C-alpha cells in the first residue's frame, strides 16, 4: 500500500498568509500537525520553542490541527506561549486544506506526543524528505526498527523539552533537503 506523496493545492504564499508568517524571508518553520489534545505534547513543543528561539531566533513554531475534546485547548497553548514571551513566534491554528499544502513550508516536523500509535503526519513527512523529530515512545521506536535505516532526517529523543529543543536545533540547522540522520536514541 504505502503512503501516497501529499500534493499541495494551495500556494506557499497563501499558506504563509494563513499562519500570519512573513511573505518572504530567511526563516525556518518547525511544525507539529496533529489534533490539539494534551497528550500530543504541544506544551512540550512550546516549552522547547523557548530554547530553540534563544539559539535560532529566525524560527517560527506552528501547532497545526483542530481542537479535540477540549475546545479551549488552542487558547491554552497560546497562553503558554504568551507566558514564555514567545507568542510572536508561535501559531496555534487549524488548516482547512490538505496536509500536502503544509509541507513546502515546514523545515522540521515534530511529533511531541507522550504516547501514540504511528502518527500519519509523521509518515507523510517521509515522502517529502524533511527533518522529523519524534518523542521516544514505544510505538515510534518499533517503527524506527522496522524501517532499518531508511529514515533520513529523523531524530528520536527522550520526552523532555530540553531534549526536544536540542533535537529541533540540530535538525533545523541541517540541510533542509537532506535533514540529519540520527538513530542514536532508539534504546528502550
Amino acid at each position: 500500500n504505502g503512503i501516497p506523496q501529499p500534493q499541495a493545492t494551495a500556494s506557499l504564499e497563501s499558506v504563509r498568509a494563513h499562519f500570519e508568517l512573513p511573505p518572504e524571508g530567511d526563516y525556518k518553520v518547525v511544525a507539529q500537525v496533529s489534533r490539539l489534545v494534551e497528550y500530543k505534547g504541544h506544551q512540550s513543543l512550546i516549552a522547547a520553542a523557548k530554547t530553540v528561539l534563544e539559539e535560532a531566533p529566525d524560527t517560527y513554531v506552528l501547532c497545526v490541527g483542530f481542537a479535540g475534546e477540549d475546545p479551549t485547548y488552542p487558547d491554552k497553548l497560546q497562553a503558554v506561549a504568551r507566558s514564555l514571551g514567545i507568542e510572536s513566534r508561535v501559531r496555534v491554528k487549524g488548516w482547512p486544506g490538505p496536509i500536502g499544502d503544509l509541507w513546502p513550508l515546514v523545515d522540521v516536523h515534530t511529533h511531541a506526543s507522550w504516547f501514540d500509535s504511528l502518527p500519519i503526519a509523521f509518515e507523510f513527512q517521509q515522502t517529502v524528505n524533511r527533518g522529523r523529530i519524534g518523542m521516544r515512545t514505544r510505538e515510534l521506536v518499533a517503527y524506527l526498527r522496522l524501517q532499518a535505516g531508511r529514515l533520513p532526517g529523523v531524530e528520536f529523543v527522550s520526552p523532555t523539552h530540553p531534549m526536544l529543543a536540542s533535537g529541533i536545533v540540530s535538525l533545523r540547522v541541517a540541510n533542509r533537503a537532506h535533514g540529519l540522520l540520527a538513530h542514536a536514541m532508539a534504546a528502550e
Side-chain angles (χ1 to χ4, degrees), residues 100-130:
D101 293 341
L102 302 173
W103 297 147
L105 179 68
V106 175
D107 296 288
V108 176
H109 174 245
T110 66
H111 188 69
S113 186
W114 307 333
F115 64 93
D116 212 343
S117 60
L118 178 63
I120 194 72
F122 201 81
E123 189 73 12
F124 276 145
Q125 271 295 94
Q126 184 173 350
T127 69
V128 293
N129 197 23
R130 297 286 193 269

Side-chain angles (χ1 to χ4, degrees), residues 74-155:
D75 295 331
K76 291 175 183 175
L77 293 174
Q78 278 298 161
V80 171
R82 207 169 18 263
S83 75
L84 295 171
I86 59 173
E87 68 275 11
S88 68
R89 291 294 180 152
V90 175
R91 310 290 190 266
V92 181
K93 200 170 188 179
W95 173 250
I99 197 170
D101 293 341
L102 302 173
W103 297 147
L105 179 68
V106 175
D107 296 288
V108 176
H109 174 245
T110 66
H111 188 69
S113 186
W114 307 333
F115 64 93
D116 212 343
S117 60
L118 178 63
I120 194 72
F122 201 81
E123 189 73 12
F124 276 145
Q125 271 295 94
Q126 184 173 350
T127 69
V128 293
N129 197 23
R130 297 286 193 269
R132 290 168 288 161
I133 186 164
M135 294 301 215
R136 190 174 59 199
T137 64
R138 186 175 332 139
E139 295 87 354
L140 287 176
V141 169
Y143 174 70
L144 176 65
R145 287 189 178 133
L146 285 173
Q147 293 299 313
R150 293 187 301 252
L151 294 176
V154 176
E155 186 163 343

Side-chain angles (χ1 to χ4, degrees), residues 11 39 56 67 69-70 100 105-107 113 134 153-154 165 172 181-182:
S11 70
Y39 72 86
E69 298 80 29
D70 179 2
L105 179 68
V106 175
D107 296 288
S113 186
V154 176
R172 190 205 155 284
L181 184 59

